[in-house]
Amino acid sequence: MIAGIVLAAGLSRRMGQAKLLLDWGGRPVIRRTVECLASVGLDEILVVVGPSHADLKTALDGLAVRFVVNAHPEAGQAGSVVAGIRALAPGTHGALIALGDQPTVPREVIPALLRAFGESGRSIAAPSYRGVRGNPVLFAASLFPELVALDGDQGARSVVDRDPARVMLVDFDMPMPQDLDTPEDYERLRSPGQPV
């Protein structure tokens, strides 16, 4: 059983408004991100949200997701990773951690990570976009204890960096999908010629 964990509890400080609710091709950013995960047949999708999340629930209405609350999103991204991992169903043998503000992850990335995870025997499968490691990242259950020990705002990067031998990098000849952190990011990524 492989679950998806979507980190969606951020405070959008740099954007100045709730970035996950911004329009992206007629749908909210968070819905686009979750639909991408839902399209690849994960066994469960968890969406980690902050204490005030009614608008996110509305944005994801009709999608088969389970909401997990990070009570202290101001403490950093690690708290959302910890909340998501702790909420996984017993018997989950892998967790794909994705960023809620990356609606442009190409559709072929997640299936390729799932294949690499199943075939390589490594405990981490991560994308490499033209030589730069990015997101989303798939972790084996053997690493869940390391993930629940995280703190701060680094997310799971330190777990990936700890031992390169356990990481299967999957190469993609494409630019890294961009986060939507600022109004400038949003306008640039929505400009003509960019996928939406």
Side-chain angles (χ1 to χ4, degrees), residues 76-112:
Q77 193 180 80
S80 290
V81 174
V82 172
I85 295 294
R86 284 184 172 156
L88 290 170
T92 302
H93 67 269
L96 179 88
I97 299 180
L99 305 180
D101 66 349
Q102 279 191 340
T104 63
V105 172
R107 293 203 177 271
E108 63 266 34
V109 169
I110 297 173

Side-chain angles (χ1 to χ4, degrees), residues 61-163:
D61 187 48
L63 296 178
V65 300
R66 182 157 57 96
F67 291 92
V68 176
V69 176
N70 172 4
H72 301 287
E74 69 281 356
Q77 193 180 80
S80 290
V81 174
V82 172
I85 295 294
R86 284 184 172 156
L88 290 170
T92 302
H93 67 269
L96 179 88
I97 299 180
L99 305 180
D101 66 349
Q102 279 191 340
T104 63
V105 172
R107 293 203 177 271
E108 63 266 34
V109 169
I110 297 173
L113 293 177
L114 292 168
R115 280 193 303 276
F117 184 73
E119 295 169 1
S120 70
R122 309 254 183 111
S123 51
I124 299 173
S128 175
Y129 301 99
R130 295 179 180 162
V132 181
R133 197 179 71 219
N135 290 295
V137 179
L138 181 51
F139 296 90
S142 60
L143 298 182
F144 292 175
E146 291 181 42
L147 291 168
V148 297
L150 291 170
D151 62 13
D153 200 34
Q154 272 205 311
R157 180 174 298 163
S158 62
V159 175
V160 180
D161 290 342
R162 195 162 291 147
D163 181 3

